[in-house]
Amino acid sequence: MSTKGLLPQPITGEIDHLLATNDRARRNASTFRIIFGWVLLLTGTVFSIIRLLYAPARNDPLSNIPIDAAEILDKCRMLNVQPHTPANFYERKQSDRFQAGTNPTLITNATIWSGRLNGLEQFTGDVLLDGGIIRDIGDIDREFVARLDDLVTIDANGAWLSPGVVDMHSHLGVHSNPGLRGSSDGNSHHGPVLPWMRALDGLNTHDDAYRLSVSGGVTTALVLPGSANAIGGQGLLIKLRPTTERSPTAMTLENPYSTNTSEYDPLHGLRWRQMKHACGENPDRVYSGTRMDTTWAFRQAYDKARQIKNAQDAYCQKASTGKWDEIKDFPEDYQWEALVDVLRGRVKVHNHCYETVDLDDMVRITNEFKFSIAAFHHAHETYLVPSTLKSAYGHPPAVALFSTKARYKRESYRGSEFAPKILSENGLQVIMKSDHPVLDSRYLLYEAQIAHYFGLPPNLALAAVTSTPAEVIGEDHRIGFLKRGYDADVVLWDSHPLSLSATPKQVWIDGIPQIKVPHVVDKPAFLQNIPKTPDFEREARKTLEYDGLPPLLPNHTSEGTVVFTNVSHVYARKGDSIVEVLGLRRGHDNGIVQVQRGEIICMGEASTCLELNTTGKPTFVNLQGGSISPGLVTFGSNLGLEDIQGEPSTKDGLVPAPLISKVPAIVGGDGAIIRAADGLQFFTRHALLAYRSGITTGIVAPQSQGLLSGLSVAFSTGSEHRLKKGAVVQNVVAVHVAISHSDNLPSVSAQVAALRNLLLGNGEGELGYWFEKVTKGKLSLVVDVHSADAIASLIELKREIEGTTFHPLKLTLSGATESYLLPSEISDADIGVILRPIRSFPSSWEMKRISPGPPLSDDPSLARLTRFDVGWAALTAGISVSTEEVLALASVNVEKLLGVSGSQSGDLVATQSGGLLEFNSKVAAVISSRRGLVDIF
C-alpha cells in the first residue's frame, strides 16, 4: 500500500529521494558484480541479505516510520478539532432520530414563541412537522403540504406554541422512580475523582417519571451523575420519548460514543460531551474531607490530565516533523481521556457549586488549567459575585438555578428568589433546572414562572428552560428554538407558558405526539397573556445590600389605625367556610377598609369609613385594586422546627421511635408522647418568608422516622417568640402517626397492630391520656400514609374502634397519594384527606399509583408558594371553583381537618394589584386580630 497522500509532504519527499538513491545503488552493485565475478557476487548477496534483515542503515528514513503512521498522524490532526455542526445540517430532509411511520403534522393558527431574537420574537403562523424536523414555519408552502400523504392537521386556535422544554440538570433514569435499591445509579463511591464514569451506563429506561416529565412539556434532559464526587463522571443528553429499540442508546441526542462499541469515537462522532463536577459540602461530606481536600483533588486530577495532554502534543509535534526515532507509543490513558478532552475544549463542564468560596476556587482552577465551565449549577451565591464568574477562563459560566428552593443546607442559606433577575441584569445567562427528582421536572416550567414573578424578564424566563440551556449544552443548532430545520420538539400550551397553571395540550418529540388522549381544561382568557408581575426592585436592592440576608421584618407595625384604600374585594371566615364580605369593581378607588388594633371596624365607600373617629393619625395603604383575604395555613413541612435542614444544630431533631428503640425513661418511657410546641423555633427565615407571602399560620408535628410522631402545634409564622401574644395559635392540635414501608421499621401490619393497641386504650401514661381523647372523638388523629392498601386497613381499623368505643373517630389522612383509588370508601367512613404534596409524584413504591391529573409542600423553603399552589390546583381542576372555595383549601379546610379551633379570629392578608392567588399581586400587609396589630411590608 502506497503511503503517498497519507503522510505529510516532508516525509513523502524524503521517501521519494530514498527510492531514487536506491535505484543508483542497484546499478552500481550490478557493475561491481560483473568486475569481481561470481564468487564476490555470492559473498555480496549474502552480506546484503544479512544487512537488510538484521542491520538497517542508520540513516535510512523508511526504517523509522511505523506501519500505522497515517493513523497516528490522523489522530494527531483530530486532537484539537472542536465539536461543530456539519455544514449541510440544515439541508437535511429527515432527522437522524426519525421514526418510520410518523405522520407529518401541520399546526395552524398558533401564537408562536420561537426563542429567536433573545426570546423576543413571537408571531402568529403555522408550523409543519415532517421527517422528525420542522420543515417549515410561518407562512407555509401550501403546494408542498398538498403533496404530503397522511397529513395530520391541528388548528391551534391562537394557542401558544413553543420549543420543547430542556432540563439541563436531571437525574432521570439514574435516580429512578419509584425509588428502589436496585435502580439507584446516580453516584459511584469509589473515589472523589471519576471522570471515566458515564450516566449512559446506568440509564434505566423503565423510570416512571419519563412520561410524567413529557406531560409537563420536557422533551430533552441532560442526565448527570450525582454530586457525591468532585468529578462524578460524564452526563448524557436524552430525548424523553419511548423508542422502538427500547434501549438507553436509542434515547440519546447526538450520542458522543460510537454506535456499536462503548468507546468515545472522535473520528466519527465528534459531538459535545457533558461532564459533572461538584464542590462544597457534598464531596466533603461523602469523603470526610474539607474544601481544601476537594480543591486539591480537582487540581491533582487536572494536573494528571494536563501531563497527558502535553505529552500528546509533544508526541504529535515530533510525528508531524518526521522525528519517528524520538517517539514510541502514543501517550494516552483510557481512564483520563475525558478529562484531557476537557482541557482540549471538547467537553461541557457542569459544576454543582453553591457559595462564594467554592465558586472562587473553581474559577481559579479554570485559569490555572485553562478550561471553561459551561454552567454553575445550584449556585446560590452567584448573584452576589457576578464579577468572579466573569473572570473564569474562556467565558463566563451560565448559572442554573432553583427559583425559591434554598436554606436546605448551609451553603444554600443565602439563596435568593431575586438571583435570576440580578444575574440577568449583570449579563449572565440564567437557566432554571429541576435537579429531578429533587424537583419533579414535570413542573420545570413552574420554576420559570416563579423566576418571572420575582423579576426575571419574560423573554429570558421562557428562554431559561428552552433556548438558553440548548445553547449552553451545545445543541442550539437543533433544539431550543422553533426554526426551519430544527428537531420537531414542540409544545402546544393551553395558556401563556408563563401564566400560572400553564399545561401542554400536546407535546411532540421528533414530530411524534406524546400524549395519547390529552386532557384539556378550559382556562380564563386573561391567562393567554404574559402575567403582569409586581415590582420587586426595592427587595432586590436590599438583598444585595445585606449580602443575601436582607431583614425580613415588616417595614412598619401598627397597633393603631390603618386604612386600606382602593380595595376591590374582602374575603373573611364564616364558620367552616370563606365568604366575600366586600366586592367592588377591580380598580374602584373608593373601596375602603379601616382597621384598628388588628380588627376591621369599617369597610365600604370612603365617605362612610373616613367619618369614623380614630385614635391617633391613621396609616394609609393603597392596595391599587387589590384584595383582603384570610391568611393561609401551611402543613406538611418542618416549618417552625428547623432553620437549615442539613444542620442538626439548627433543628429540633428526631423524636424517639418506640417501635425502633427503647424510649428513655427520663422522656417518659413507653408512655411518652412528644409535643412539637416544646421545640418551636420562631423567626426562622423560612417562617418569615412564608409570613411575607400570606401564609400566616403554620401547623407542624414532631419529626419522626417511626410510627409515633407526637402532638402537633399551630403557630404564627410572623411572631418573634412563643411568649408573644398570639404566637402559639393552638398548643395541641392533633396526634400524628405514620404508616409506611421502611428498612428502619417493622412491617406495616405490625405498625397497624401497634396503632390498634393504642386506640383500644392500652397506651401508658401521657400517651394513653392523649389517645383516649382520640378514641372519644375529642382530638384528631392524623395518619401520614400513601399506600391504598394501608389506607384500606385504616378504614377498617376506624370501623373496628368506633364499634368498640361508640364514639366517632376524627381521622385525617395526610399525604394520601393513592387515596383517589378509594374515594367512596373514604367518604363513607367520614375520613378527611390532605393531599401532600399537591403535585403527586411516584417517589416511592407506596406512591407508585399516583393520580397523574392536577397534581401542599414538604419543603419549608417552598411553603411560601402555598398561595400559588392552591391557585394552580383550582385552575387545573377542570371544574368551576369559586375564589372563596380555593381560599378555603389552604385555610379553614386544613384547620378543620387537623383540629384547629377558634379560627374565626384568624389573620387576614392584604395584597396589592390583585388577589392573593394571582401572579400579579404582592402581599402588602398582614392584619392580625389575635395579635392586635397590622404588619405592613
Side-chain angles (χ1 to χ4, degrees), residues 67 178 437 533 645 669:
I67 194 169
T533 55
Q645 181 184 355

Side-chain angles (χ1 to χ4, degrees), residues 196-412:
W196 46 86
M197 294 293 172
R198 304 183 311 177
L200 173 62
D201 300 324
L203 191 73
N204 177 13
T205 58
H206 303 297
D207 190 335
D208 283 0
Y210 289 127
R211 64 186 181 91
L212 296 173
S213 297
V214 169
S215 72
V218 181
T219 57
T220 302
L222 171 56
V223 178
L224 293 167
S227 53
N229 306 302
I231 301 178
Q234 300 166 52
L236 181 71
L237 288 166
I238 63 170
K239 293 282 193 84
L240 270 57
R241 70 171 175 86
T243 64
T244 54
E245 299 89 342
R246 297 189 176 94
S247 69
T249 300
M251 296 178 71
T252 57
L253 172 64
E254 297 200 338
N255 183 11
Y257 310 105
S258 55
T259 303
N260 297 314
T261 71
S262 53
E263 73 205 55
Y264 174 57
D265 186 5
L267 294 178
H268 301 103
L270 193 58
R271 294 156 171 173
W272 285 108
R273 285 196 285 182
Q274 318 287 328
M275 176 80 74
K276 178 68 177 291
H277 286 10
C279 49
E281 292 183 29
N282 282 24
D284 294 351
R285 181 184 66 254
V286 171
Y287 294 100
S288 301
T290 66
R291 282 175 165 79
M292 294 182 290
D293 293 297
T294 301
T295 302
W296 172 244
F298 275 118
R299 297 181 67 224
Q300 190 176 41
Y302 271 106
D303 184 58
K304 171 73 172 178
R306 181 169 59 183
Q307 290 177 31
I308 296 172
K309 175 182 179 294
N310 290 345
Q312 290 175 348
D313 292 344
Y315 179 100
C316 290
Q317 175 63 27
K318 291 178 179 179
S320 65
T321 55
K323 298 178 181 178
W324 297 103
D325 57 336
E326 298 182 20
I327 53 178
K328 294 182 180 179
D329 295 331
F330 183 79
E332 58 186 341
D333 188 321
Y334 203 32
Q335 283 190 310
W336 295 97
E337 58 83 22
L339 210 60
V340 174
D341 254 11
V342 172
L343 298 182
R344 295 196 182 280
R346 309 199 310 192
V347 180
K348 299 284 190 177
V349 174
H350 299 270
N351 201 161
H352 160 121
C353 205
Y354 283 80
E355 60 181 323
T356 301
V357 58
D358 301 312
L359 297 166
D360 190 61
D361 284 345
M362 291 309 304
V363 165
R364 282 188 281 104
I365 290 172
T366 68
N367 286 297
E368 179 180 0
F369 294 97
K370 295 180 171 51
F371 70 93
S372 294
I373 292 175
F376 281 123
H377 291 236
H378 304 313
H380 281 61
E381 291 190 14
T382 48
Y383 72 98
L384 296 172
V385 289
S387 60
T388 297
L389 273 62
K390 292 178 181 180
S391 65
Y393 182 81
H395 59 79
V399 186
L401 300 160
F402 295 127
S403 60
T404 58
K405 185 176 175 61
R407 292 168 294 282
Y408 47 90
K409 51 183 175 177
R410 193 198 67 85
E411 62 187 3
S412 68

Side-chain angles (χ1 to χ4, degrees), residues 44-163:
T45 301
V46 172
F47 178 78
S48 296
I49 292 172
I50 293 173
R51 177 176 177 271
L52 287 171
L53 291 177
Y54 299 105
R58 182 171 299 175
N59 295 320
D60 186 347
L62 269 181
S63 66
N64 295 321
I65 300 176
I67 194 169
D68 59 347
E71 182 181 337
I72 290 172
L73 289 169
D74 207 20
K75 191 171 190 175
C76 288
R77 180 180 62 82
M78 288 294 297
L79 281 182
N80 293 307
V81 174
Q82 297 296 295
H84 58 278
T85 305
N88 62 346
F89 184 79
Y90 298 113
E91 297 174 11
R92 62 181 183 156
K93 305 301 181 186
Q94 184 172 291
S95 170
D96 52 331
R97 293 184 48 81
F98 174 69
Q99 182 171 300
T102 302
N103 292 335
T105 300
L106 178 64
I107 306 169
T108 64
N109 303 316
T111 304
I112 297 168
W113 185 88
S114 70
R116 298 177 66 234
L117 305 180
N118 201 30
L120 294 171
E121 182 182 69
Q122 63 184 59
F123 56 93
T124 300
D126 305 339
V127 176
L128 177 63
L129 313 179
D130 182 39
I133 64 173
I134 299 174
R135 286 295 297 269
D136 207 351
I137 183 170
D139 296 326
I140 303 296
D141 183 347
R142 296 294 171 176
E143 291 185 7
F144 176 79
V145 171
R147 295 194 297 270
L148 293 173
D149 295 327
D150 302 317
L151 177 69
V152 176
T153 301
I154 295 174
D155 188 347
N157 288 312
W160 286 89
L161 195 73
S162 80

